[in-house]
Amino acid sequence: MGYGAHVREGCILEEEANGGHTVGLKQTILFPFVTIGSLVNFCDCFMAGGTSRKDHSEVGSSYIHFNYTPNQDKATASLIGDVPCGVMLNQSPVFLGGQGGLVGPARIGYGTVIAAGTIFRGDSPEGGKLIHGDMESAFTKRKFIAGYYGNIDRRIENNILYIANLLALKEWYRHIRKIFFDIRDQGKALHEGSLDKLDMAVTERITRVKALSDKMDISIKIAREMSEGEKMRQLIGRQKKVMENWEKIEECLRSETEEDIAVEKRDAFCDIIKKRIDRGEKDYIATIKSLGAEESSIGKAWLQEIVDQIQGECAQCLA
């Protein structure tokens, strides 16, 4: 990190991730090779992608991840890439062009390019897209109603997906990263510290979504005063679902069921890694990058099953 960097709580910067001068990070996880320019505010993000320092995901200079809403909440974490594919270090890089911004909570897929100067307010999880827009022609004016949230489905879904990815990453650290930490000096402390940061990240995200759910009561009262009709009844119904079922959702996210999901795939992948270490392949990045397609697919399937099952259980709470 360059001069003037401000790296606060809940951050993990993996091997060869780096940033220029005056970069602000908080509750941010950067996978290997991710490069951040200068004068960047990039809090409440997960970012992966790229295969080396020459083929890396990039955040251009003067970039902002907008993580605080006019209604004063921070249920805004953005998933740039994902954990199941990202840990394999074989995905196309993501490019976030300088002098731009991303409004959280967003989902951005691998291979996405957001052109310089673009502020993106949506999702592009499919990846491989060039996103650009002319902000000057897109300005609109409408009444701002403090406390009113409207349709919150996307916001809740993106937050749950983000947390599910963090829980999958915890399993990766418990079972795969640990193998590499155990063979290095001070590895035990590094492993414990990493898990502590991941616990901190999960707690932060759950706390932020709970705070959002607590605001639904006021939002519903405002909505009832604004208008009637089927569309408004549906919006109110979705907000009530979140408010009334938050405890069930939180229980799903805190139940630690991720430890018991796809155990056979997990154990098979651990065996693959242990055999490579026994052969003397002790460098984390080199070992992961050397995995064959069939081998990496086992690890990916294990982690993706964790994400999918947790996401599905939470969705059932809101059905």
Side-chain angles (χ1 to χ4, degrees), residues 41-52:
N41 189 327
F42 207 63
C43 300
D44 298 307
C45 294
F46 166 91
M47 190 170 189
T51 60
S52 69

Side-chain angles (χ1 to χ4, degrees), residues 141-157:
K141 292 182 181 180
R142 63 183 181 186
K143 185 177 180 182
F144 172 68
I145 303 172
Y148 174 65
Y149 277 88
N151 190 336
I152 61 165
D153 286 353
R154 170 180 172 268
R155 188 184 296 249
I156 296 298
E157 289 168 5

